[in-house]
């Protein structure tokens, strides 16, 4: 059996397959509520080894649905994900102190929840303008106001667990790795459709085990609008990461004397998103909430916390997990609990050897608030194989 445990009882319509023995009670309840929904595919709900409680559904879950989607399962950080590139630089090519590089990146890439730059005069090649209904619904048709949100936040990091890192792999090669999503516009899209789904449930007199499992039925205008809007937000998130990567590479060139090139790019992969995929001979809506796609041969990125290892992996194409794997270490305590539990001295000790902000501003991101990444990786050996092991030497947080 490929998974660690299977949860099933008379109250569930489908089984829950978990790649971990340790599921907190709140996450277990959320997964069981999800498994009661009438449109979940019969193969069941897949829980990744970094699973923990989220809003409505667990973070670290893969949800296959037919004829309906759950906006809160994707969440409000639509298209949040990772990008990583390997450079031709070696560890010895980096300066003894990485502080100047960190400060350069912090100047060049706008940080924080409201981070903005001067904006683009037009959308970058390959990224379309938002669907008309996004501008109509969210901005009452005001294109200028809409542009101020998505045009000025493209190429910005955001806050929370979003980060930019320099890492060294097992051979001493230098990697750049970053984590962000669709920023303010994705948040607005997510929140709008979550509320639309809740309104529909009230109109249809549908009782749910959790109000955050409100769904949009296929065939409704809201469903069509959401699919269009989320597709755009995911494209925006991918372009956002690409724009930041360009800025980070340029910042690195300013402080490293040696010329370098990019020698390998790992997939620019989402881990909060919705996609139509074929599994078990059926086209399904696959929601990965804190999970990445891991088809056979797919490259992916699984980061640890800011003081732990990260991994470049190759997917093994596990059918039971809908070809998925974990998206990181996963939190083991909330941000509030982390701030109450740890001190700045703890943060300094746990990030020893990493050039980063070591103040109370990022205390909620302390490595001790996350699960053991080695245990997470051990629990998904049938989902991915490790191609590279990375250790960060510099980390920029969006706090």
């Amino acid at each position: 059996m490929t998974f660690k445990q299977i949860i099933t009882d008379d109250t569930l319509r489908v089984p829950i397959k978990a790649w971990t023995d340790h599921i907190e009670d709140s996450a277990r309840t959320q997964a069981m509520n999800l498994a009661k929904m009438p449109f979940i595919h019969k193969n069941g709900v897949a829980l990744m080894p970094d699973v923990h409680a989220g809003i409505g559904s667990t973070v670290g879950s893969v949800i296959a649905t037919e004829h309906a989607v759950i906006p809160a399962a994707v969440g409000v950080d639509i298209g949040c994900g990772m990008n990583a590139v390997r450079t031709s630089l070696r560890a010895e090519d980096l300066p003894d102190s990485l502080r100047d590089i960190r400060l350069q990146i912090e100047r060049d890439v706008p940080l924080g929840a409201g981070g903005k730059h001067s904006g683009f005069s037009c959308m970058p090649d390959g990224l379309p303008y938002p669907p008309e209904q996004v501008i109509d619904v969210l901005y009452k048709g005001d294109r200028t106001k809409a542009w101020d949100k998505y045009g000025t936040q493209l190429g910005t990091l955001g806050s929370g667990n979003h980060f930019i890192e320099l890492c060294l792999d097992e051979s001493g090669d230098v990697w750049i790795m970053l984590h962000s999503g669709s920023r303010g516009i994705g948040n607005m899209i997510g929140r709008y459709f979550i509320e639309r789904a809740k309104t529909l449930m009230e109109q249809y007199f549908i009782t749910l085990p959790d109000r955050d499992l409100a769904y949009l039925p296929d065939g409704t205008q809201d469903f069509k609008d959401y699919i269009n809007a989320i597709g755009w937000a995911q494209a925006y998130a991918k372009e956002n990461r690409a724009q930041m990567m360009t800025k980070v590479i340029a910042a690195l060139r300013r402080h490293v004397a040696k010329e370098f090139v990019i020698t390998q790019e790992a997939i620019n992969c989402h881990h909060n998103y919705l996609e139509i995929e074929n599994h078990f001979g059926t086209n399904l809506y696959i929601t990965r909430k804190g999970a990445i796609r891991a088809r056979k041969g797919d490259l992916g990125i699984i980061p640890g916390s800011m003081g732990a290892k990260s991994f470049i992996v190759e997917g093994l194409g596990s059918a039971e997990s809908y070809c998925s794997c974990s998206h990181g270490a996963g939190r083991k305590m909330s941000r509030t609990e982390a701030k109450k539990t740890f001190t700045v001295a703890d943060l300094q000790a746990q990030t020893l050897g990493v050039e980063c902000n070591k103040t109370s501003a990022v205390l909620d991101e302390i490595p001790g608030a996350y699960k053991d990444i080695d245990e997470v990786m051990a629990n998904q050996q049938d989902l991915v194989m490790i191609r590279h092991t990375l250790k960060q030497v510099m980390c920029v947080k969006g706090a």
Side-chain angles (χ1 to χ4, degrees):
M1 186 174 292
T2 58
F3 32 85
K4 294 292 183 179
Q5 62 173 304
I6 186 167
I7 303 169
T8 184
D9 65 33
D10 292 340
T11 70
L12 306 183
R13 292 189 63 259
V14 298
I16 301 166
K17 300 171 183 178
W19 274 259
T20 176
D21 292 321
H22 309 293
I23 306 173
E24 59 188 316
D25 289 344
S26 55
R28 181 181 291 267
T29 297
Q30 287 185 333
M32 294 181 71
N33 285 339
L34 190 61
K36 297 173 184 176
M37 301 299 284
F39 45 80
I40 305 295
H41 186 265
K42 63 183 179 182
N43 183 62
V45 176
L47 300 183
M48 299 296 97
D50 59 339
V51 63
H52 56 281
I55 297 176
S57 60
T58 57
V59 179
S61 60
V62 185
I63 307 161
T65 60
E66 299 180 83
H67 312 301
V69 294
I70 305 170
V74 179
V76 297
D77 198 358
I78 299 169
C80 185
M82 301 288 304
N83 192 8
V85 298
R86 182 177 63 190
T87 75
S88 58
L89 292 173
R90 302 276 301 162
E92 56 268 24
D93 298 323
L94 296 176
D96 291 338
S97 172
L98 300 176
R99 179 177 172 80
D100 287 345
I101 295 176
R102 175 170 71 88
L103 294 179
Q104 185 72 55
I105 293 171
E106 290 176 352
R107 287 192 295 269
D108 294 350
V109 179
L111 311 176
K116 293 184 177 183
H117 57 64
S118 58
F120 295 83
S121 59
C122 62
M123 294 298 280
D125 291 342
L127 181 62
Y129 287 87
E132 289 294 331
Q133 71 268 23
V134 170
I135 296 176
D136 290 343
V137 167
L138 300 183
Y139 299 98
K140 296 180 171 58
D142 189 333
R143 292 180 174 275
T144 300
K145 187 178 292 186
W147 179 262
D148 185 59
K149 175 66 74 173
Y150 66 81
T152 61
Q153 288 198 335
L154 191 61
T156 69
L157 186 63
S159 60
N161 61 352
H162 293 170
F163 64 79
I164 300 168
E165 291 183 342
L166 288 184
C167 305
L168 303 178
D169 70 12
E170 66 285 344
S171 300
D173 290 332
V174 176
W175 290 69
I176 303 169
M177 182 167 68
L178 57 83
H179 170 213
S180 190
S182 55
R183 306 293 286 109
I185 184 66
N187 185 293
M188 292 182 71
I189 289 171
R191 291 186 185 282
Y192 172 78
F193 283 102
I194 288 170
E195 291 306 312
R196 284 300 304 153
K198 290 178 179 178
T199 298
L200 280 181
M201 298 299 96
E202 293 173 359
Q203 292 175 350
Y204 296 159
F205 301 101
I206 294 174
T207 301
L208 300 167
D210 184 330
R211 191 164 180 258
D212 283 313
L213 292 179
Y215 57 91
L216 300 174
D218 194 356
T220 63
Q221 187 62 45
D222 283 316
F223 178 95
K224 180 180 178 180
D225 289 348
Y226 181 64
I227 295 299
N228 288 338
I230 199 172
W232 178 83
Q234 289 167 188
Y236 179 97
K238 183 175 181 180
E239 182 64 28
N240 185 45
R241 292 191 289 272
Q243 293 289 339
M244 278 191 290
M245 182 61 74
T246 297
K247 294 178 184 179
V248 175
I249 291 171
L252 188 58
R253 292 190 193 282
R254 294 185 62 173
H255 294 274
V256 176
K258 185 176 181 179
E259 290 293 323
F260 66 90
V261 296
I262 303 305
T263 59
Q264 178 180 334
E265 180 170 358
I267 289 177
N268 189 333
C269 55
H270 303 312
H271 53 227
N272 286 346
Y273 73 112
L274 175 69
E275 199 72 74
I276 300 174
E277 297 177 5
N278 189 281
H279 295 272
F280 303 101
T282 302
N283 288 334
L284 301 169
Y285 293 100
I286 302 296
T287 296
R288 293 187 176 91
K289 184 182 182 73
I292 66 173
R293 189 169 63 189
R295 298 173 304 186
K296 188 171 180 61
D298 276 349
L299 287 179
I301 308 160
I302 302 177
S305 62
M306 60 193 287
K309 293 176 285 189
S310 297
F311 300 90
I312 305 298
V313 298
E314 181 179 332
L316 297 177
S318 164
E320 295 291 347
S321 71
Y322 301 101
C323 297
S324 307
C325 68
S326 79
H327 80 314
R331 297 192 73 92
K332 67 179 181 183
M333 63 177 66
S334 69
R335 296 184 183 279
T336 300
E337 185 181 358
K339 289 179 178 179
K340 291 180 179 178
T341 303
F342 297 105
T343 66
V344 170
D346 294 326
L347 176 64
Q348 293 170 346
Q350 292 182 27
T351 58
L352 189 66
V354 181
E355 171 57 46
C356 63
N357 182 346
K358 299 176 188 283
T359 70
S360 59
V362 295
L363 190 56
D364 56 342
E365 281 294 299
I366 189 171
Y370 284 83
K371 295 181 180 181
D372 182 346
I373 188 64
D374 288 321
E375 181 178 346
V376 168
M377 296 306 296
N379 283 341
Q380 56 184 341
Q381 293 182 43
D382 62 313
L383 305 183
V384 293
M385 67 175 69
I386 296 171
R387 285 302 187 195
H388 297 286
T389 300
L390 310 184
K391 180 67 179 74
Q392 59 272 78
V393 292
M394 185 220 72
C395 178
V396 171
K397 283 285 184 180

